[in-house]
Amino acid sequence: MSELQRSRYNSFVRRDDGWVGYNARTGSFARFSAAVGDALQETGPVVATPDTPGLLDMGFLHRGDELQQVISVYQNGRATGDTMSLTIAPTLACNKACTYCYQNEYRTDRVMSAATQDATVGYVRARVAEGWKAVDCTWYGGEPLLAVDIVVDLSVRLRTAIEEAGGTLEPMGIITNGTLLDRATAERLREVGIRSAQISFDALVDDGPESRGVLDPDGAPSTILRNVLDARQYLHITLRINVNRTNADDITRILDVLREHDLHRIAHLARTDDLDGEAGCVTGTDGERFKPAIKSLPLTVVGSAAPPRVKESPEVMTRSEYARFEQSMFAKLPDSAQMMVRRLTPKKHFCGATSGALFVIDPAGNISRCWDSVGVAAEAMGNVRQVDSDMTGTAIAQKWQLMSPFIYPSCTSCPVLPLCMGGCSHPRVFMGTKKSPCEAIKFQIQSAVETIGQVIPLPELQPLALAE
């Protein structure tokens, strides 16, 4: 039998009644006596005691290769044919012009044609007939409500096709900027099975196409905020507040405005990304990403065109910078404790892209694995017109299938690996980034364990999995 070892995924916090430990591989919290807690944090040989079986079950101790246990969870988390995660973008057009949007380089006004809608219905029906038992559908864009008739019509047709094929269409959701989500539209969406909507804010004042504010310039609730108040009578609303260096000072006031309308409990913060700049890439007009030969503008040669260069956004916070900022705002976020619990819950995969369950369909009918690939033909696995193909054998699908966080030393040595499983893989799959796409929990782990560990009721040596 292999020797006892302490887990690399342990975290501890001192309480008046002893130590509270947390293990990221199992998601277990437990309270220990001072002696046991001290022993788990030492570096010498581990001596077996009557407590050893419980510590093994909770993950604080292990035998053999602990990393291999995490790898097995990842491998077993590959799609099993149970629930198909479907995302449909009926258009990439948008009535806002957010400077940080990753679709800006290849945005078009194209909407999904009738022929592509027909092919989409046929493609989903074929996949359900092959064995997917349920379909979880999210409407995306662009701004999907610019094509609301397509959203409504396809929602009805998809339900019929899925049920005819022997599957179930779960309650659907929509990602929208909220400008067009008035009361009548919200009611219309609900009637066809859309039950939830995520709406984003990024400014205090809604004073132009580049901002999504909570207030009009005169201080009254903005159109988006008024729509949120109306739409929540029909849809489950969540509010995402996109954070960067330009609006960080306004976040407190934005939350205060939401609190005035009793909306602060459904709000959460999110970092705006700079996919190209962080990865050292340039996105062409066709959406394809590539690394230019140089990263700064050379001397100008008369009569020559300047080669493309990487433009890193000065507005975007670094990942650690954002994690610190978000942590400073926890006291103002009523959902912060629940958010910490979610982040402390082990994952099988970061998202459906690497598990193989996600199918993202853009206006042209191209099928991708990732939301960041919407509209990028070079990153598509195929098209809905290939109705007989589940896409798993295509070159792009194989890229996703072969993606593994365990080939990166920065991941395999990370004490929070089971909580993020490598983070967003898109920059690694298509952009060749050398920077680890670390989630905020990497920088917040000790604070999160301290916060939950100080209040969680635990009898000594009794585990409490976060799922409970």
Side-chain angles (χ1 to χ4, degrees):
M1 183 180 294
S2 56
E3 66 178 354
L4 286 170
Q5 301 177 63
R6 297 174 183 85
S7 173
R8 74 179 73 184
Y9 305 118
N10 290 341
S11 297
F12 299 91
V13 58
R14 196 75 160 95
R15 291 200 325 194
D16 293 339
D17 55 355
W19 286 99
V20 168
Y22 163 76
N23 181 265
R25 183 176 63 80
T26 65
S28 293
F29 273 91
R31 182 168 67 86
F32 308 118
S33 66
V36 174
D38 290 343
L40 286 172
Q41 297 175 76
E42 293 173 354
T43 57
V46 179
V47 179
T49 71
D51 295 327
T52 296
L55 295 172
L56 286 168
D57 288 342
M58 291 181 279
F60 293 101
L61 296 178
H62 71 94
R63 298 184 188 275
D65 189 342
E66 187 179 33
L67 178 61
Q68 186 57 51
Q69 296 180 57
V70 179
I71 294 173
S72 295
V73 170
Y74 185 88
Q75 292 173 336
N76 293 336
R78 295 289 186 187
T80 60
D82 185 14
T83 300
M84 177 184 188
S85 294
L86 179 65
T87 297
I88 303 176
T91 182
L92 292 184
C94 191
N95 56 350
K96 285 289 187 177
C98 303
T99 58
Y100 54 81
C101 183
Y102 61 86
Q103 292 180 350
N104 285 338
E105 290 89 347
Y106 49 93
R107 187 175 304 288
T108 71
D109 292 331
R110 179 177 186 169
V111 297
M112 187 176 282
S113 68
T116 300
Q117 293 173 54
D118 293 342
T120 296
V121 173
Y123 187 84
V124 175
R125 179 192 289 112
R127 302 289 76 75
V128 174
E130 286 177 347
W132 293 99
K133 298 176 183 177
V135 177
D136 179 4
C137 181
T138 300
W139 294 95
Y140 191 55
E143 172 47 53
L145 292 182
L146 288 173
V148 65
D149 290 341
I150 296 176
V151 172
V152 169
D153 183 59
L154 266 184
S155 294
V156 174
R157 295 179 63 193
L158 283 170
R159 181 178 302 280
T160 299
I162 291 167
E163 291 177 352
E164 288 177 349
T168 301
L169 178 61
E170 302 289 346
M172 293 177 283
I174 189 168
I175 312 295
T176 170
N177 61 35
T179 56
L180 303 175
L181 190 62
D182 55 25
R183 185 189 302 267
T185 301
E187 186 174 13
R188 191 180 177 195
L189 296 179
R190 182 173 179 81
E191 288 174 351
V192 297
I194 295 173
R195 293 290 186 266
S196 63
Q198 177 183 286
I199 299 170
S200 298
F201 289 107
D202 59 14
L204 178 61
V205 179
D206 196 17
D207 57 358
E210 295 184 355
S211 64
R212 291 181 278 182
V214 293
L215 299 174
D216 281 342
D218 62 3
S222 67
T223 297
I224 301 175
L225 182 54
R226 294 196 303 272
N227 284 346
V228 168
L229 294 171
D230 286 340
R232 66 175 174 170
Q233 300 177 50
Y234 303 96
L235 304 172
H236 174 72
I237 304 292
T238 57
L239 302 177
R240 168 177 167 140
I241 303 174
N242 292 329
V243 180
N244 56 41
R245 290 170 181 159
T246 65
N247 69 359
D249 291 340
D250 289 332
I251 300 301
T252 296
R253 179 64 183 129
I254 292 172
L255 289 170
D256 288 341
V257 172
L258 295 178
R259 184 176 289 104
E260 292 169 8
H261 297 278
D262 196 27
L263 296 172
H264 58 299
R265 298 183 186 280
I266 60 173
H268 68 278
L269 307 184
R271 171 181 175 263
T272 60
D273 293 316
D274 176 17
L275 296 177
D276 285 4
E278 192 171 41
C281 284
V282 170
T283 297
T285 55
D286 60 354
E288 187 168 4
R289 281 90 176 191
F290 61 94
K291 288 185 177 293
I294 58 172
K295 292 191 176 182
S296 59
L297 198 63
L299 294 173
T300 301
V301 178
V302 177
S304 68
R309 63 190 179 108
V310 175
K311 299 177 182 178
E312 293 192 53
S313 172
E315 300 178 0
V316 175
M317 293 181 174
T318 65
R319 293 175 182 268
S320 59
E321 179 186 4
Y322 171 76
R324 291 192 299 271
F325 174 82
E326 183 186 61
Q327 187 169 317
S328 73
M329 300 298 296
F330 280 166
K332 294 184 175 293
L333 293 168
D335 187 46
S336 59
Q338 289 87 345
M339 179 187 69
M340 289 181 201
V341 168
R342 290 192 295 271
R343 289 183 179 176
L344 291 173
T345 301
K347 290 180 171 60
K348 294 181 179 180
H349 283 257
F350 179 75
C351 73
T354 51
S355 74
L358 184 57
F359 295 76
V360 183
I361 302 174
D362 72 10
N366 291 324
I367 305 173
S368 306
R369 275 281 186 253
C370 178
W371 288 14
D372 291 344
S373 296
V374 171
V376 184
E379 296 177 6
M381 300 182 292
N383 192 278
V384 291
R385 291 166 177 80
Q386 299 165 264
V387 68
D388 294 329
S389 173
D390 65 1
M391 303 299 164
T392 55
T394 65
I396 296 297
Q398 286 300 303
K399 273 191 170 186
W400 282 108
Q401 185 72 16
L402 294 173
M403 169 58 208
S404 169
F406 309 109
I407 64 175
Y408 298 95
S410 60
C411 287
T412 56
S413 63
C414 182
V416 301
L417 174 62
L419 304 181
C420 71
M421 287 301 191
C424 177
S425 295
H426 181 273
R428 285 171 163 169
V429 173
F430 292 112
M431 307 173 85
T433 183
K434 295 182 179 179
K435 295 183 179 179
S436 300
C438 298
E439 292 295 294
I441 189 61
K442 176 178 180 178
F443 311 99
Q444 298 169 347
I445 180 66
Q446 190 59 36
S447 174
V449 172
E450 288 175 359
T451 299
I452 303 301
Q454 289 289 357
V455 299
I456 196 168
L458 288 170
E460 189 170 321
L461 267 180
Q462 294 299 310
L464 178 68
L466 286 175
E468 300 175 32

